[in-house]
Amino acid sequence: MELIDLLKDVKTVENCCNLHMEIAAICTDSRECTEDAMFIAVKGAENDGHKYIGAAIEKGAKAIVCTEIPAPYKESDEPAGKGIAFIKVEDDRKAAAIIARNFYNDPSRNIRLVGVTGTNGKTSIATLLYRLFTKLGYCCGLLSTIANYVGEKRYEAQNTTPGPVELNRLLSQMVDAGCEFCFMEVSSHALDQQRTEGLTFTGAVFTNLTHDHLDYHKTFANYLKCKKSLFDSLAPEAFALVNTDDRNGDVMVQNCKAKINSYACRNVATFKTRIIEKTIEGMLLEINGKEVWCRFIGQHNAYNLTAVYGVAVLLGAKEDETILAMSQLTSVAGRLEYFKGANDVIAAVDYAHTPDALENVLKTLKELEPAGGICCVFGCGGNRDKTKRPEMGAIAGKYAQRIIVTSDNPRFEDPLEIISDIKEGMDIKARAKTLFIVQRDEAIRTAILTAQPGSIILVAGKGHEDYQIINGVKHHFDDKEIIQETFAQQMA
């Protein structure tokens, strides 16, 4: 594609030369540069792409997009040999997103793209929508924390929302594969870093807003503003679907031009649900007067399923077909997945890693009134928001009869210091029923081997993750594997 076409809608401060050269590839990582590529130098939180301009040119880059042209190149008439074009832009992140969109021929205009944002529920809603519409006979794409899918082909996910180059590449692959829909998690980091800039959304969903990511956003107001920006960007022909049981639901759509719809379990809404029956096996729901048995438990899943139903109807799916397909859906990996052991002991794995998510899951399990009570095994991630640690300690103390505080992904922090932060939120009663075991596998085994008959063990925080990050190194670790191995040994 010609360089001049790639720069459409990109506000440039300075164009040097050769705007009609052909660009074969684009990248934001100099290691991925190839002959005749464009390298976009992006300033990140921990690294600055401008430091790698020289390396990109050595690998064959013919065009460089940057906010500052480095002095050695700026002062020379032919900075790196003939045929190099430097383009100076005001906003490197926005430029990267727009260039990626242009390079891949604006793929979001050729697929019905639905974004899901909020603190909790993004993965479940996006994944269930992907599965639902696949069951309804459509070819679909999925962009999520767990994995990305183009049709039925799986790609491993590095971030909740990919960077703009990968994001548009995946959307382009979906279009080429004949996908009609794409369901996408949209994280606050992605919105703040403008990874979704220039995309055309058919609709957007707001789940809820609770305590998370304040290490990055610094204030709750900033966090809210990022989420809200998705709805501010929607076109009039798009739809917005917001949870109005969350007090921030109405805030999200204050400046929204799209068609506004709501969902709720308590208040009046476009899509309203109530729980009729519930067991460990699932729930009987009434959604807009229609009953459906779903293989999910918990109030939070009632919200997730209501959002799924709402999106399906807004996208034109028939209500009865949607209800039937919903009854066949199963839980998302690491979201209240449960396993049965000896003596009617159940171990449930959940990704809950925020105060609100942990409370939702513990409330759900408590409502089942397990004969042996609830044991909560959890920790908190290192080098992340420290303020939520004592909150999670207090929540575990409120709902669980036994607690084991352990390590999560400590990253570069001392696990004992993380555990100490959690302990700060626990009162005397909570501490009295708590064990502090750093080794996560030992903590899980201890919970199972000392469990009372008929108890439920919640192993929270990592969910679908099959690794543990210690001192910056990823080690294989899967909560589900430890649970299944321990149950098998017990019953051998």
Side-chain angles (χ1 to χ4, degrees), residues 187-260:
S187 69
S188 58
H189 289 66
L191 291 165
D192 184 60
Q193 295 168 13
Q194 301 181 83
R195 297 181 211 164
T196 60
E197 184 71 30
L199 297 186
T200 301
F201 285 93
T202 298
V205 180
F206 168 71
T207 63
N208 49 66
L209 204 65
T210 62
H211 189 158
D212 200 16
H213 300 310
L214 297 191
D215 55 318
Y216 178 88
H217 295 291
K218 305 306 179 189
T219 68
F220 192 82
N222 288 340
Y223 183 37
L224 184 150
K225 184 179 178 182
C226 279
K227 297 291 190 185
K228 185 176 179 296
S229 67
L230 174 61
F231 297 89
D232 292 345
S233 69
L234 293 175
E237 59 270 21
F239 70 80
L241 178 62
V242 297
N243 174 9
T244 47
D245 281 349
D246 186 291
R247 60 190 177 87
N248 298 293
D250 291 332
V251 176
M252 288 293 136
V253 290
Q254 281 178 349
N255 306 107
C256 183
K257 301 181 184 68
K259 301 176 185 72
I260 299 169

Side-chain angles (χ1 to χ4, degrees), residues 259-270:
K259 301 176 185 72
I260 299 169
N261 298 268
S262 60
Y263 71 98
C265 291
R266 296 194 304 268
N267 297 309
V268 175
T270 316

Side-chain angles (χ1 to χ4, degrees), residues 110-388:
N110 296 305
I111 194 169
R112 300 180 76 181
L113 177 63
V114 177
V116 184
T117 197
T119 305
N120 302 312
K122 297 188 298 296
T123 302
S124 291
I125 292 171
T127 304
L128 292 176
L129 280 166
Y130 166 79
R131 293 179 183 175
L132 174 70
F133 273 79
T134 300
K135 282 185 178 295
L136 292 175
Y138 297 97
C139 182
C140 302
L142 172 67
L143 298 169
S144 82
T145 300
I146 297 175
N148 301 318
Y149 282 85
V150 177
E152 295 183 359
K153 189 170 183 180
R154 177 185 171 116
Y155 297 85
E156 292 305 314
Q158 300 300 318
N159 298 300
T160 296
T161 309
V165 175
E166 183 187 2
L167 174 53
N168 280 275
R169 180 170 61 243
L170 285 165
L171 288 171
S172 177
Q173 289 173 4
M174 291 175 195
V175 172
D176 291 344
C179 293
E180 294 181 59
F181 301 93
C182 173
F183 304 102
M184 170 186 175
E185 288 187 58
V186 184
S187 69
S188 58
H189 289 66
L191 291 165
D192 184 60
Q193 295 168 13
Q194 301 181 83
R195 297 181 211 164
T196 60
E197 184 71 30
L199 297 186
T200 301
F201 285 93
T202 298
V205 180
F206 168 71
T207 63
N208 49 66
L209 204 65
T210 62
H211 189 158
D212 200 16
H213 300 310
L214 297 191
D215 55 318
Y216 178 88
H217 295 291
K218 305 306 179 189
T219 68
F220 192 82
N222 288 340
Y223 183 37
L224 184 150
K225 184 179 178 182
C226 279
K227 297 291 190 185
K228 185 176 179 296
S229 67
L230 174 61
F231 297 89
D232 292 345
S233 69
L234 293 175
E237 59 270 21
F239 70 80
L241 178 62
V242 297
N243 174 9
T244 47
D245 281 349
D246 186 291
R247 60 190 177 87
N248 298 293
D250 291 332
V251 176
M252 288 293 136
V253 290
Q254 281 178 349
N255 306 107
C256 183
K257 301 181 184 68
K259 301 176 185 72
I260 299 169
N261 298 268
S262 60
Y263 71 98
C265 291
R266 296 194 304 268
N267 297 309
V268 175
T270 316
F271 303 99
K272 175 76 179 286
T273 291
R274 69 184 182 96
I275 301 174
I276 300 173
E277 295 177 17
K278 53 191 171 184
T279 70
I280 189 65
E281 306 291 342
M283 300 181 290
L284 178 62
L285 303 179
E286 183 186 79
I287 307 178
N288 279 15
K290 296 179 181 291
E291 291 188 2
V292 57
W293 176 264
C294 297
R295 302 176 200 179
F296 300 83
I297 61 171
Q299 187 77 51
H300 61 293
N301 274 322
Y303 281 104
N304 293 340
L305 291 164
T306 310
V308 168
Y309 178 82
V311 170
V313 171
L314 291 170
L315 287 174
K318 293 179 180 178
E319 294 180 9
D320 290 341
E321 290 181 1
T322 300
I323 288 289
L324 177 61
M326 285 175 64
S327 70
Q328 299 167 6
L329 296 174
T330 55
S331 63
V332 177
R335 272 64 178 175
L336 265 182
E337 277 190 274
Y338 67 88
F339 307 87
K340 293 182 179 180
N343 300 318
D344 295 321
V345 172
I346 291 172
V349 173
D350 196 87
Y351 189 52
H353 62 285
T354 67
D356 182 66
L358 184 63
E359 184 166 29
N360 283 338
V361 175
L362 286 171
K363 271 185 181 178
T364 294
L365 298 178
K366 187 175 182 179
E367 287 170 0
L368 298 175
E369 299 179 351
I374 298 169
C375 176
C376 181
V377 182
F378 80 104
C380 290
N383 302 108
R384 295 293 186 269
D385 184 1
K386 292 185 178 183
T387 61
K388 69 182 181 182

